[in-house]
Amino acid sequence: PRNNLMTNQVRLVFGEVPESLDDFIFASQSVQAEAMKYFVEMWRGHKFADKTGILWWNLRDGWPILSDAITDYYGGKKIAYAFLRNVQRDVCVMINDPVDGKYQLIAVNDNLVGHEGSVRVTDAASGKTVYKGRFTVPVNGRTVIAGIPEREGQGMLKIEYTVDGCSYTNHYLYGSAPFSLDDYRSWGSGLDY
């Protein structure tokens, strides 16, 4: 059942199940990583507005198996490990789904001190800057930095931000599935995960 579930999820997101084992591993781990990232960002992005947190589990597989654990039986970190580490930083900048035709660019802070930073959002395929600016996020709070006009088609927005002299990256996958596995791989190249 679990193997069929993953195969079906890969088919839904990428339109087909890759025949190459390496491509299947990348596709299945990417589907898992994007889903887990989405859920964490959805809850964090609505912090105290209408949501207050999320609890997820299955950190490590107890035996070799296809699963939604973020590390495999042998201790190898899956793509989801890096995605989740990234979106669970104390201060994180993310994009949530569109509201009134605009993607919500949000900063979330889980610290007991406020923070300031800078952010740049680019289109992964063209490299064109979509938004650039500064932000302030209060103690244990969230800030809607900007509304970025919703984009046509499919793609990925790369988010580069700096807080307290440290630089981080994030991304937002937009459009409706199925996505081309080659496009997805290309858009994600250069992400610091």
Side-chain angles (χ1 to χ4, degrees):
R2 189 172 289 275
N3 292 351
N4 291 338
L5 175 64
M6 182 54 67
T7 301
N8 290 336
Q9 289 172 342
V10 168
R11 185 176 292 111
L12 284 171
V13 174
F14 293 113
E16 62 184 5
V17 177
E19 292 185 24
S20 152
L21 180 59
D22 287 341
D23 285 345
F24 179 77
I25 291 169
F26 177 78
S28 64
Q29 286 192 21
S30 296
V31 168
Q32 172 202 12
E34 288 290 347
M36 295 179 86
K37 174 185 177 307
Y38 178 83
F39 290 125
V40 169
E41 287 182 328
M42 178 183 59
W43 286 87
R44 289 193 81 193
H46 291 93
K47 180 177 182 168
F48 300 133
D50 59 359
K51 297 176 178 30
T52 55
I54 185 171
L55 176 65
W56 59 271
W57 60 92
N58 205 358
L59 301 176
R60 182 181 167 274
D61 287 328
W63 53 83
I65 186 173
L66 283 176
S67 81
D68 56 357
I70 63 171
T71 55
D72 66 24
Y73 173 75
Y74 303 101
K77 297 172 183 169
K78 297 180 184 178
I79 296 170
Y81 181 95
F83 278 28
L84 287 171
R85 180 192 67 220
N86 191 50
V87 299
Q88 293 184 148
R89 296 188 190 285
D90 288 346
V91 179
C92 184
V93 177
M94 64 194 74
I95 294 176
N96 276 174
D97 285 342
V99 174
D100 298 327
K102 295 188 180 211
Y103 300 113
Q104 301 296 295
L105 180 63
I106 298 172
V108 177
N109 177 13
D110 292 336
N111 288 320
L112 297 179
V113 296
H115 290 278
E116 295 180 0
S118 61
V119 61
R120 182 171 71 123
V121 179
T122 57
D123 179 88
S126 70
K128 179 182 173 190
T129 298
V130 176
Y131 175 84
K132 185 175 182 179
R134 296 198 55 77
F135 65 90
T136 302
V137 59
V139 170
N140 196 28
R142 71 186 263 280
T143 297
V144 177
I145 301 168
I148 297 172
E150 194 170 352
R151 303 182 72 78
E152 299 271 328
Q154 298 175 324
M156 184 182 287
L157 296 175
K158 290 186 178 182
I159 306 162
E160 299 168 295
Y161 64 101
T162 303
V163 176
D164 296 332
C166 296
S167 297
Y168 306 101
T169 59
N170 198 357
H171 73 276
Y172 178 79
L173 184 65
Y174 66 85
S176 297
F179 295 91
S180 155
L181 184 61
D182 290 337
D183 286 346
Y184 178 80
R185 192 184 316 256
S186 173
W187 297 332
S189 69
L191 289 176
D192 186 27
Y193 294 133

